[in-house]
């Protein structure tokens, strides 16, 4: 995806993409000549925001692309992305004075993503040449991270099982000089990850927990935990077919965590990064865990199972307990956790939960600046009573609150497994774009990680 962007010095010729408004259109057309003026009139091009017009030269070859913007800039930060798949093959560049060129270039590249593992790749190449003023190295790190997250989510579970997901983690860390280990199968019980084992034991593919680190041990500690449920049948509380069709994306939390880790390591931020991912398949067999079971946990809490289709928080709980033991400076978890989050905020606006007000404010600021929408939701402690159990320390789902506040109660459940960490934040993401838009092709999606990369870069770039 980063190959969509190149340095201006690396191309011999390129076609200008010119920003025009309703007020500036005539002046621009005058500069291009009378044939361009007549062509745009014939095509009724009026420079409406996000509209575009290909303008031929006298020889018939493409001479310029006109792109409509509002008086104060593009209608959307990534609006230029609408051109990524619409333009003919060739090299293009943003004309002098194009507003917000770095955001425009990023939107263009994000929109150029294609998942073509299972079909013939398009031979059309559209590249945008950028000036030296744009930090192409940083944008490249972001694009690589986003592509990794998207590719992992888009890969179906027959080719991305627990072992393959763990291998992707190993490959990523090895490429950057990091290292780690995987705890597999029955060893999960020996090493006290009973809930990871319980969720994954019914699958023919063994559950595992990947634990990898990168960076200097004496640097500030940032730990990322991702839900790696490669496919969720719902277990014995089996999902209906319509609810199961997109369950290949149930490892979207892990995919996004790995995308963020890729950015951090590529940028060589001065921190000690740790990534923990429980990799499991929630399948159905004679040894599947059941509603009503009481499971032990790494934390020592006993957990009553209210519904086997709420398995993600179980594997996350064991992983968070492990992460918390080290008392990291910042602990982030990401998971495709609840349908309730989608009901509340839709697919494009993931909620996040934290008791750290300063962190929440920083996330909000970075989210808006990066055009990576996120919305804070409350860890409303009175709802903790909804997780009461009569036979165990806690139930993992809302059993007494008539089913309300599903995303909040899931976050509250996870909070019971984090107590030593200085600052913790939980993201309940969707990990999918259901309808294509600029910067977001339909399919697996990176959500929140560009904002988090900016936040972590700002917090730790000077070694604080």
């Amino acid at each position: 995806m980063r190959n969509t962007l190149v340095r201006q010095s690396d191309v011999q010729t390129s076609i200008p993409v010119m920003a025009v408004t309703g007020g500036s259109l005539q002046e621009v057309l005058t500069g291009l000549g009378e044939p361009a003026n007549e062509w745009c009139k014939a095509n009724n091009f009026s420079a409406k925001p996000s509209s575009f017009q290909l303008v031929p030269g006298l020889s018939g070859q493409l001479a310029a692309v006109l792109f409509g913007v509002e008086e104060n800039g593009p209608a959307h930060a990534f609006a230029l992305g609408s051109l990524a798949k619409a333009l003919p093959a060739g090299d293009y560049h943003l004309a002098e004075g194009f507003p917000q060129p770095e955001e425009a270039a990023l939107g263009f590249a994000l929109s150029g993503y294609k998942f073509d593992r299972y079909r013939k790749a398009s031979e059309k190449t559209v590249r945008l040449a950028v000036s030296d003023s744009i930090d192409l190295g940083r944008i490249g790190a972001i694009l690589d991270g986003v592509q990794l997250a998207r590719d992992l989510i888009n890969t179906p579970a027959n080719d991305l099982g627990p072992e393959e997901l763990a291998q992707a983690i190993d490959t990523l860390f090895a490429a950057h000089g990091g290292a780690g280990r995987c705890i597999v199968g029955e060893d999960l019980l020996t090493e006290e990850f009973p809930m990871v084992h319980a969720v994954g034991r019914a699958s023919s593919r063994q559950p595992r927990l990947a634990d990898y680190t990168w960076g200097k041990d004496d640097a500030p500690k940032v730990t990322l935990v991702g839900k790696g449920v490669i496919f969720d049948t719902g277990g014995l509380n089996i999902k209906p077919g319509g609810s199961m069709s997109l369950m290949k994306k149930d490892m979207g939390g892990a995919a996004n965590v790995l995308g963020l880790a890729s950015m951090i390591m590529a940028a060589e931020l001065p921190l000690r990064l740790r990534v923990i991912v429980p990799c499991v398949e929630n399948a159905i067999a004679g040894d599947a865990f059941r509603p009503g079971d009481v499971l032990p946990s790494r934390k020592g809490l006993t957990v009553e199972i209210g519904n086997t289709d709420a398995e993600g928080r179980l594997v996350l709980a064991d992983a968070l307990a492990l992460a918390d033991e080290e008392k990291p400076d910042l602990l982030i978890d990401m998971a495709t956790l609840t349908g309730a989050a989608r009901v509340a905020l839709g697919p494009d606006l993931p909620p996040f939960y934290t008791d750290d007000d300063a962190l929440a404010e920083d996330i909000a600021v970075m989210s808006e600046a990066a055009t990576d929408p996120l919305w804070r939701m409350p860890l409303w402690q009175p709802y903790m009573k909804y997780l009461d159990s009569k036979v165990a320390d806690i139930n993992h789902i809302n059993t007494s609150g008539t089913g309300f506040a599903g995303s909040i109660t899931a976050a509250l459940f996870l909070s019971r497994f984090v107590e030593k960490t200085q600052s913790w934040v939980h993201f309940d993401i969707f990990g999918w774009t259901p309808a294509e838009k600029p910067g977001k092709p339909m399919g697996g999606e990176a959500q929140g990680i560009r904002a988090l990369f900016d936040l972590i870069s700002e917090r730790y770039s000077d070694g604080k």
Side-chain angles (χ1 to χ4, degrees):
M1 185 162 57
R2 63 188 300 175
N3 293 334
T4 307
L5 301 180
V6 294
R7 286 286 180 210
Q8 185 71 61
S9 57
D10 292 335
V11 299
Q12 293 183 343
T13 59
S14 56
I15 299 163
V17 179
M18 310 174 74
V20 293
T21 66
S24 68
L25 176 60
Q26 192 56 53
E27 180 182 351
V28 171
L29 290 176
T30 299
L32 290 173
E34 186 58 27
N37 192 9
E38 293 299 322
W39 179 260
C40 286
K41 284 183 178 179
N43 285 278
N44 296 314
F45 180 69
S46 59
K48 291 181 179 179
S50 300
S51 66
F52 67 92
Q53 179 63 56
L54 308 182
V55 180
L58 293 177
S59 63
Q61 295 182 329
L62 185 59
V65 179
L66 304 183
F67 187 77
V69 300
E70 296 177 343
E71 294 295 336
N72 59 347
H76 182 278
F78 295 156
L80 191 70
S82 61
L83 289 181
K85 295 179 181 178
L87 291 176
D91 291 332
Y92 300 82
H93 70 271
L94 301 181
E96 191 71 28
F98 200 102
Q100 302 169 348
E102 188 155 328
E103 287 186 347
L106 180 59
F108 187 90
L110 288 171
S111 296
Y113 169 83
K114 300 180 184 69
F115 183 69
D116 48 25
R117 175 173 175 173
Y118 299 99
R119 58 183 180 182
K120 185 178 179 181
S122 170
E123 296 180 359
K124 185 177 82 167
T125 301
V126 178
R127 302 191 301 178
L128 185 69
V130 299
S131 68
D132 291 340
S133 64
I134 292 179
D135 188 348
L136 199 54
R138 181 174 177 81
I139 289 182
I142 292 171
L143 293 176
D144 285 349
V146 170
Q147 176 157 334
L148 175 61
R150 288 173 173 175
D151 282 350
L152 287 170
I153 296 171
N154 284 326
T155 302
N158 61 310
D159 283 331
L160 187 74
E163 182 178 2
E164 289 79 12
L165 179 56
Q167 183 58 53
I169 299 169
D170 186 82
T171 300
L172 174 64
F173 274 78
H176 293 281
R181 67 179 187 133
C182 274
I183 305 166
V184 181
E186 296 301 307
D187 288 343
L188 290 165
L189 295 176
T190 304
E191 300 206 30
E192 299 182 343
F193 299 99
M195 293 201 294
V196 177
H197 180 270
V199 170
R201 73 190 183 204
S203 174
S204 60
R205 298 184 281 188
Q206 292 190 90
R208 60 202 67 215
L209 183 132
D211 184 3
Y212 281 72
T213 59
W214 170 89
K216 296 180 179 179
D217 287 340
D218 60 351
K221 292 178 171 59
V222 174
T223 299
L224 312 178
V225 175
K227 173 186 170 184
V229 179
I230 60 96
F231 193 86
D232 180 20
T233 64
L236 293 178
N237 289 114
I238 190 169
K239 294 177 182 288
S243 299
M244 212 185 296
S245 59
L246 273 183
M247 280 301 101
K248 69 175 184 178
K249 77 171 186 65
D250 212 25
M251 38 61 65
N256 273 265
V257 158
L258 293 180
L260 177 55
S262 173
M263 297 176 192
I264 290 170
M265 292 188 286
E268 299 183 343
L269 297 184
L271 53 86
R272 204 298 301 272
L273 175 68
R274 186 180 188 185
V275 169
I276 302 172
V277 176
C279 308
V280 302
E281 178 175 22
N282 188 20
I284 302 171
D287 59 346
F289 74 117
R290 296 163 288 265
D293 283 359
V294 176
L295 302 180
S297 70
R298 183 178 183 84
K299 184 72 173 175
L301 296 172
T302 55
V303 179
E304 182 184 7
I305 301 304
N307 188 311
T308 63
D309 194 19
E311 83 300 328
R313 68 199 69 181
L314 298 174
V315 299
L316 279 176
D318 271 355
L320 285 170
L322 172 65
D324 189 57
E325 291 163 9
E326 193 183 39
K327 304 178 184 178
D329 299 281
L330 177 61
L331 174 56
I332 298 169
D333 83 72
M334 306 189 83
T336 54
L337 207 60
T338 70
R342 312 290 81 80
V343 172
L345 298 174
D348 300 336
L349 185 59
F352 69 93
Y353 298 84
T354 181
D355 278 332
D356 186 334
D357 292 337
L359 175 62
E361 183 175 352
D362 287 345
I363 291 172
V365 170
M366 295 298 178
S367 166
E368 183 173 359
T371 316
D372 196 5
L374 297 163
W375 195 264
R376 187 185 188 185
M377 295 276 275
L379 280 166
W380 186 247
Q381 290 301 316
Y383 289 163
M384 188 71 82
K385 67 179 182 293
Y386 292 165
L387 300 173
D388 286 348
S389 168
K390 294 181 180 180
V391 299
D393 293 322
I394 191 172
N395 199 301
H396 76 138
I397 66 167
N398 178 348
T399 58
S400 60
T402 61
F404 293 132
S407 183
I408 295 175
T409 51
L412 287 170
F413 173 79
L414 295 177
S415 73
R416 291 290 301 272
F417 297 84
V418 180
E419 62 179 10
K420 301 174 183 177
T421 298
Q422 295 184 33
S423 189
W424 165 66
V425 57
H426 159 64
F427 293 83
D428 190 344
I429 68 171
F430 190 48
W432 192 263
T433 298
E436 187 160 329
K437 60 196 71 176
K440 294 185 176 184
M442 182 177 175
E445 189 54 87
Q447 292 186 304
I449 61 175
R450 291 187 292 103
L452 288 172
F453 178 53
D454 289 346
L455 181 148
I456 293 169
S457 297
E458 184 171 289
R459 281 198 169 195
Y460 300 108
S461 61
D462 58 359
K464 287 183 180 178

